[in-house]
Amino acid sequence: MAISVFKRYEKKFILSPEDYKETVAFVQDYMDFDKYCVGEKDYSLLNLYFDTPDNLLIMRSTDKPTYKEKLRLRAYFPPKTHDDKVFFEIKKKYKGIVTKRRAVMRYGEALELIDTGKAPKLKKDKYIDTQVSKEIEAMFQRYPGLHPAVYIAYDRVAMFAKDNPEFRLTFDRNIRTRRENVSFDYGDYGTQLLPEGYNLMEIKISDAVPLWLASYLSEKKLYMTGFSKYGKEYEGMVTGKSPAEALLASDDF
């Protein structure tokens, strides 16, 4: 969680319960569980995604442009005090390359930024955090009315390659979303994005997928999909279907 800036490729796959079990068992010869997966169990990620009143950011994103950006506030447990740590993140994608910049701050500072659109004053030794918080402030200026639009949370199992710590696999399940009470202060609940037991697997890598994994995916006929949690949630809202129903009716399933 200490990484503040990085670039990578992300390749996404939807796994059935059986595919998930087989894949995790297979990759353990090449990968270790993240240290946050205590006892090889998952951990939660709670996110507030920001958008304009007319959903400009997600509408642009679903048009699959060459460049797109998102803003989210992330926590690893529901903040209980204004001193709890949260993570403001700008996620950009240009020609398939994902760049994420993160500012670490206290929950109270994040609420202040949301309320005023102004970056809080951070400690001088937090150069990256200060720079990123200024970029976030610029996004509030660039997109009038930017506000927490969607709550998206999920439970994750993460793994790292034994010979390359930059190569990472994540498996997200129990993806829950809501558009009411879009705050960490109202508890962790929402409508399911995936059918029960299904996982979204993401390959996160700075270069090519290793041959052993590419061969496994080909053998198991597991195919990459263009899948965005926020995008699928928005698609469900527009069509009037639940997110899981929208997914079942799409080409991604």
Side-chain angles (χ1 to χ4, degrees):
M1 295 184 198
I3 298 175
S4 293
V5 180
F6 63 82
K7 295 181 180 180
R8 68 188 180 201
Y9 293 95
E10 295 181 347
K11 303 178 185 298
K12 303 179 181 181
F13 302 76
I14 296 173
L15 304 185
S16 69
E18 295 76 16
D19 288 332
Y20 168 73
K21 292 179 182 178
E22 291 179 3
T23 300
V24 170
F26 172 78
V27 301
Q28 286 187 61
D29 286 341
Y30 306 90
M31 309 187 78
D32 293 321
F33 285 92
D34 185 299
K35 64 180 180 180
Y36 299 106
C37 295
V38 180
E40 302 182 0
K41 295 183 179 180
D42 55 30
Y43 59 92
S44 295
L45 293 90
L46 319 176
N47 304 278
L48 307 181
Y49 280 80
F50 288 71
D51 216 325
T52 62
D54 57 356
N55 298 302
L56 178 61
L57 287 176
I58 191 57
M59 287 177 64
R60 286 181 176 175
S61 179
T62 55
D63 286 339
K64 302 185 184 302
T66 301
Y67 169 83
K68 57 185 178 181
E69 59 184 348
K70 294 177 183 176
L71 178 65
R72 69 188 177 201
L73 181 64
R74 169 168 288 182
Y76 292 87
F77 57 88
K80 295 181 179 179
T81 75
H82 281 195
D83 289 328
D84 286 336
K85 186 184 296 185
V86 294
F87 306 83
F88 242 125
E89 298 177 344
I90 300 174
K91 191 172 183 181
K92 302 179 181 181
K93 189 174 185 179
Y94 178 67
K95 292 185 176 180
I97 300 177
V98 175
T99 303
K100 189 170 77 172
R101 295 172 64 78
R102 164 184 280 190
V104 184
M105 61 185 72
R106 294 178 300 174
Y107 185 43
E109 292 171 329
L111 292 177
E112 177 186 343
L113 197 162
I114 294 170
D115 185 52
T116 67
K118 301 292 184 181
K121 293 182 179 180
L122 304 178
K123 293 180 180 179
K124 291 183 180 180
D125 62 344
K126 292 288 187 180
Y127 174 74
I128 293 292
D129 293 347
T130 301
Q131 289 298 108
V132 176
S133 65
K134 287 294 184 181
E135 293 177 29
I136 295 168
E137 180 181 297
M139 286 193 70
F140 274 86
Q141 296 171 354
R142 191 160 63 249
Y143 299 106
L146 199 63
H147 68 286
V150 180
Y151 175 92
I152 302 179
Y154 38 93
D155 302 323
R156 167 169 289 181
V157 168
M159 305 180 76
F160 291 85
K162 295 179 179 179
D163 60 350
N164 179 9
E166 293 187 1
F167 169 41
R168 190 169 179 237
L169 275 182
T170 60
F171 303 89
D172 295 339
R173 65 171 186 84
N174 188 26
I175 305 173
R176 48 222 183 257
T177 74
R178 68 174 188 258
R179 284 183 174 264
E180 79 282 354
N181 299 328
V182 184
S183 166
F184 294 136
D185 299 335
Y186 291 93
D188 181 20
Y189 71 92
T191 302
Q192 289 293 317
L193 186 65
L194 290 175
E196 185 175 358
Y198 278 74
N199 277 260
L200 174 65
M201 180 179 75
E202 292 188 43
I203 300 173
K204 304 173 189 287
I205 196 166
S206 58
D207 45 36
V209 175
L211 181 60
W212 60 264
L213 181 56
S215 298
Y216 173 82
L217 296 172
S218 176
E219 177 187 345
K220 294 296 182 179
K221 295 183 171 56
L222 299 175
Y223 303 114
M224 188 168 64
T225 180
F227 189 99
S228 159
K229 298 181 183 78
Y230 188 11
K232 289 303 176 184
E233 186 281 337
Y234 178 72
E235 180 182 334
M237 183 192 72
V238 170
T239 61
K241 299 177 181 178
S242 72
E245 288 174 336
L247 178 61
L248 287 168
S250 75
D251 294 334
D252 297 314
F253 191 79

